[in-house]
Amino acid sequence: MYKFKFADIGEGIHEGKLLKWEVKVGDKVEDGDTLFSVETDKITAEIPCPVDGTIAKLNYKEGDVIHVGDIVVVIDDGTGDSAAAPAPAKVEAPKETVEAIEEPDAGGVVGEIKVSNELFPSFGGAAPKAPATSNTIVKEDDVSNANDKRTQDGPKVDCEKTYDLIIVGAGPGGYVAAEHAAKNGLKTAIIEREFFGGVCLNVGCIPTKALLKSAKVYKQIKHMQDYGFGMELAEEQINAIKPNWKTVMNRKNEVVGQLTKGVAFLMRSNKVDTYTGEAKYIGDHAIEVNGKKLAYKKLIIATGSRARRIPINGLEEGYKAGFVATSKEALSWTEIPKNLIVIGAGVIGVEFACLFDALGSKVTMLQNIDKILEILDKDIQKTLFDSFVKRGIDIKLSANISKINKDSVELSIGDKIIKIKADKVLISVGRVPNIEAFKDMPNLEIGKRGEIVVDDYCQTSVQDVYAIGDVNGRLMLAHVASAEGVSVVDTIVGHKTRTNYETNPSCIYTFPESSSVGITEQFAKENKLDVVVQKTPYRVSGKALADGETEGFCKIIADKKTGTLLGAHFVGQSSTDIISELSAFMDLEGTVYDLSRTIHPHPTIAELISETCRHAIYKLNKANK
Ligand code: NAI
């Protein structure tokens, strides 16, 4: 009989109100099914069932207050105990009765996992095996042992608690690694100084996507007459429809709130110990947080990055005055700037430029080099550049910014000196890894860009210490951080795995959006690779036409001899959702022959993939005659 206790869900929460039962006595339940929802003064959460079985007894009714440690429900999991006789249909049981049947070690807690009592002595051996993941699993003898020789020095510190694994940073790298570690039986702690979910969930990917959705809806409203709505409205009336920024921001905040609470809860429900505070390396295998000294067998540094601020005259003053913002502060602006200057036309710059342009700002982008989105395929650069300019975004290339004033930016382009007025300036000129907490760690190698240097397994120069995500400076993308986290945990539990960066997809959420995987056409040219390149415009797609969104293309790059897929590049609606198909094919070393034979549903944008591959094959056949 499994006596399910209300677990400590952290944040200083000791009790909650049982909102709704999702099961009744006699119901068959499986591990992971929702048992009930609970509301505390901080969160509302669904509580999952940790075992398979039959509901024997519900000890509380909806609306009751339950306390940490209370046995809320008894589940017959087939482990015996004659008290197991299913309780009568009565819902409520007096608390005394509940406590009377409690055994000292009998209760489980939410999402209980078995935690190893012994710290694992070395790689492999008795350590639990991780499930296979999409990352590349490497045979033991393929792995370089070079790092195994590097030791971790520093003062010996007496610690109050020891963990198999401590993770510093609860972004998409850290929290995914923590969950995976706990599920694999490691006694795990995660330390976060600011917000669970990291930059991505709180002030990065997710809030920007929520705002971009509002901007997209607004764009569609403006074009509603094309689709047969509001025909009675005059142009001025449609133009008079303005975004309500407060509501747009509230929606964004709700999305973020839901996700970040979910992350904190995920940690606790997997029995990952969470610490909120600034972590600091204090000695050999030791970390301090809020005055607590914690020892680790393995450490994952997942501290992420922050926006880079460059030495421009007046930038720091402008930043203090709120005139200049990084993407983090821009996500809390209280109004839509009438005139916005974006410094840097990289990924963050173009996404924010599109967002505020769509919401009605007059946007000027200042880019120090002669192109935008430098690392992308040239056709993507050109298509997006033309699209932005056509919409009225002013892009000034080869701009040399000399000064930021109270309400303007001064720059030169060649001999021409320009001064542009603005309400706000967004600075998006790259990101800097957060390494400060580990600067005292002996032998930790730091690279030229301030990143923690790692090998293919995210192993740092210090034994037992790994670095994942933005802090290792490899690919500053949330999904790469998560993949690295899973790989490192797999390696720690004896299943040596390295992240497969070659088939990593990248997405940019502009209007229109863009996505890429693999090599670019210019890379193929520069490296004299024998390839075939095939491109299909979106306007031939029935789905794109039906949607009225025909801007963009699909480009496929394949090896000329074998047809093996080497790269794929998209601009156009839904492209961020369909790029994964190409990544998976590249992972499997698939060819354009395979892809062209894969039946794609009609009508979808994804049909462009098989269509493009079919035409690539005609070219291949001709070339290989
Ligand atoms: P970035 O490196 O992508 O772009 C920075 C741009 O600023 C470059 O084009 C550079 O030429 C320009 N720049 C540098 N100094 C300048 C100056 N003095 N004046 C004018 N322009 C200057 O950096 P960004 O956009 O800040 O993004 C940072 C990281 O975040 C990237 O690694 C990116 O991959 C990641 N990210 C990814 C997203 C996605 O995948 N959708 C979304 C947001 C960020």
Side-chain angles (χ1 to χ4, degrees):
M1 200 57 75
Y2 192 94
K3 290 153 196 163
F4 183 92
K5 285 179 183 171
F6 180 44
D8 178 3
I9 55 177
E11 311 278 2
I13 293 167
H14 305 295
E15 61 179 34
K17 186 161 92 178
L18 198 158
L19 273 188
K20 190 169 183 305
W21 277 110
E22 300 296 340
V23 292
K24 56 184 184 316
V25 171
D27 277 0
K28 294 245 179 293
V29 285
E30 287 181 8
D31 184 354
D33 286 352
T34 301
L35 290 173
F36 58 91
S37 53
V38 66
E39 181 188 60
T40 71
D41 57 349
K42 296 214 169 100
I43 59 168
T44 299
E46 290 187 341
I47 307 296
C49 180
V51 292
D52 294 347
T54 306
I55 300 294
K57 195 172 183 187
L58 306 181
N59 287 331
Y60 294 87
K61 63 178 183 339
E62 290 173 2
D64 280 354
V65 172
I66 52 175
H67 299 86
V68 168
D70 286 347
I71 295 176
V72 188
V73 48
V74 182
I75 303 163
D76 184 353
D77 61 348
T79 53
D81 181 354
S82 51
K90 196 172 146 233
V91 168
E92 194 181 4
K95 204 154 172 265
E96 299 74 48
T97 317
V98 174
E99 278 162 5
I101 61 167
E102 186 177 0
E103 295 156 10
D105 59 350
V109 295
V110 177
E112 186 184 34
I113 50 124
K114 285 177 183 59
V115 169
S116 59
N117 292 326
E118 278 182 6
L119 297 174
F120 46 90
S122 61
F123 289 131
K129 293 284 181 218
T133 69
S134 62
N135 290 330
T136 306
I137 295 165
V138 183
K139 277 193 256 122
E140 197 82 9
D141 49 9
D142 290 342
V143 180
S144 150
N145 283 321
N147 288 318
D148 293 355
K149 294 192 180 62
R150 295 174 241 180
T151 56
Q152 189 172 142
D153 300 320
K156 301 275 173 252
V157 180
D158 282 337
C159 292
E160 57 194 81
K161 227 168 171 181
T162 301
Y163 289 95
D164 291 342
L165 175 66
I166 291 182
I167 299 164
V168 181
Y175 79 76
V176 171
E179 186 198 8
H180 195 53
K183 293 245 191 279
N184 276 279
L186 300 184
K187 186 178 173 189
T188 304
I190 191 163
I191 307 172
E192 169 57 51
R193 68 174 171 192
E194 201 170 6
F195 18 52
F196 279 82
V199 167
C200 170
L201 265 62
N202 293 276
V203 285
C205 325
I206 298 301
T208 49
K209 264 77 267 173
L211 294 179
L212 281 160
K213 177 68 191 181
S214 290
K216 186 162 189 182
V217 170
Y218 187 46
K219 269 161 73 79
Q220 285 171 335
I221 289 170
K222 294 235 155 184
H223 288 102
M224 64 181 160
Q225 290 186 334
D226 297 347
Y227 296 86
F229 295 95
M231 308 313 283
E232 67 285 2
L233 299 175
E235 201 183 327
E236 311 81 72
Q237 286 174 300
I238 294 176
N239 289 341
I241 301 172
K242 298 286 177 210
N244 182 311
W245 184 238
K246 208 170 158 205
T247 313
V248 169
M249 290 294 264
N250 283 346
R251 178 181 174 274
K252 180 265 289 181
N253 292 340
E254 267 169 35
V255 172
V256 169
Q258 227 169 316
L259 281 172
T260 51
K261 277 175 204 155
V263 170
F265 180 70
L266 184 75
M267 296 298 91
R268 280 145 196 154
S269 62
N270 277 288
K271 276 188 90 179
V272 173
D273 282 356
T274 56
Y275 296 87
T276 304
E278 186 89 37
K280 194 175 176 330
Y281 169 83
I282 49 165
D284 187 12
H285 289 82
I287 285 279
E288 187 175 284
V289 55
N290 301 334
K292 277 201 176 88
K293 295 181 174 61
L294 307 173
Y296 57 82
K297 270 281 173 176
K298 304 281 176 190
L299 176 71
I300 296 181
I301 302 172
T303 43
S305 65
R306 61 181 179 275
R308 186 160 80 103
R309 302 222 294 266
I310 44 176
I312 298 176
N313 190 1
L315 187 138
E316 287 307 318
E317 291 84 344
Y319 185 73
K320 276 191 202 117
F323 176 52
V324 179
T326 68
S327 53
K328 183 178 176 185
E329 296 84 40
L331 287 166
S332 303
W333 281 342
T334 50
E335 50 191 39
I336 299 168
K338 277 197 178 69
N339 293 289
L340 170 67
I341 291 177
V342 175
I343 300 179
V347 186
I348 294 181
V350 295
E351 285 188 8
F352 274 82
C354 281
L355 169 68
F356 285 105
D357 167 69
L359 291 172
S361 303
K362 169 72 198 133
V363 179
T364 307
M365 297 193 80
L366 306 178
Q367 169 74 333
N368 61 342
I369 55 173
D370 65 355
K371 52 178 83 70
I372 64 167
L373 298 165
E374 191 187 1
I375 52 162
L376 292 190
D377 179 273
K378 279 208 169 81
D379 281 338
I380 295 183
Q381 288 172 8
K382 185 175 176 344
T383 307
L384 289 182
F385 183 91
D386 292 347
S387 177
F388 299 163
V389 170
K390 197 167 145 199
R391 248 177 291 149
I393 298 177
D394 186 4
I395 307 178
K396 300 204 183 299
L397 299 175
S398 306
N400 184 9
I401 299 163
S402 50
K403 196 168 176 214
I404 297 180
N405 302 312
K406 274 197 182 122
D407 61 354
S408 65
V409 174
E410 290 177 34
L411 62 134
S412 61
I413 300 174
D415 297 338
K416 217 165 129 195
I417 309 234
I418 305 169
K419 187 172 174 179
I420 306 170
K421 285 211 157 218
D423 307 298
K424 291 280 182 197
V425 174
L426 173 83
I427 178 128
S428 49
V429 292
R431 297 186 65 86
V432 185
N434 296 324
I435 57 161
E436 290 68 22
F438 302 95
K439 65 179 175 10
D440 296 335
M441 184 182 273
N443 304 324
L444 187 69
E445 192 183 340
I446 305 297
K448 285 197 188 91
R449 293 169 297 136
E451 80 281 13
I452 296 179
V453 176
V454 292
D455 67 8
D456 281 351
Y457 303 89
C458 294
Q459 162 81 64
T460 68
S461 56
V462 177
Q463 201 174 24
D464 300 328
V465 180
Y466 299 84
I468 61 169
D470 286 12
V471 77
N472 73 26
R474 287 200 139 190
L475 278 174
M476 288 191 171
L477 295 167
H479 48 278
V480 171
S482 303
E484 288 176 339
V486 172
S487 294
V488 166
V489 170
D490 284 352
T491 298
I492 288 173
V493 297
H495 205 131
K496 290 188 173 172
T497 310
R498 72 173 160 241
T499 305
N500 189 357
Y501 298 100
E502 288 75 30
T503 57
N504 162 67
S506 305
C507 300
I508 307 180
Y509 299 85
T510 37
F511 300 130
E513 61 186 40
S514 169
S515 60
S516 302
V517 61
I519 66 164
T520 59
E521 196 176 345
Q522 57 265 36
F523 178 90
K525 271 192 196 125
E526 282 158 16
N527 292 278
K528 299 192 170 46
L529 302 181
D530 211 6
V531 296
V532 64
V533 178
Q534 186 64 41
K535 203 171 143 188
T536 311
Y538 260 53
R539 62 175 181 275
V540 306
S541 155
K543 180 66 165 54
L545 274 168
D547 288 345
E549 293 184 59
T550 51
E551 199 176 5
F553 64 82
C554 159
K555 183 196 268 195
I556 297 281
I557 302 168
D559 180 81
K560 207 179 238 174
K561 275 206 181 71
T562 60
T564 304
L565 186 66
L566 299 176
H569 305 271
F570 283 86
V571 172
Q573 61 142 324
S574 308
S575 65
T576 56
D577 287 320
I578 59 179
I579 193 71
S580 308
E581 176 186 349
L582 284 312
S583 290
F585 256 87
M586 282 179 64
D587 251 341
L588 299 168
E589 295 174 15
T591 65
V592 284
Y593 303 101
D594 301 320
L595 263 176
S596 75
R597 279 193 298 264
T598 302
I599 300 175
H600 287 76
H602 176 75
T604 55
I605 297 294
E607 283 175 295
L608 284 169
I609 296 170
S610 45
E611 181 78 1
T612 310
C613 287
R614 189 161 57 81
H615 284 87
I617 292 169
Y618 301 144
K619 265 194 193 158
L620 283 174
N621 290 344
K622 217 167 161 188
N624 293 329
K625 243 183 199 166

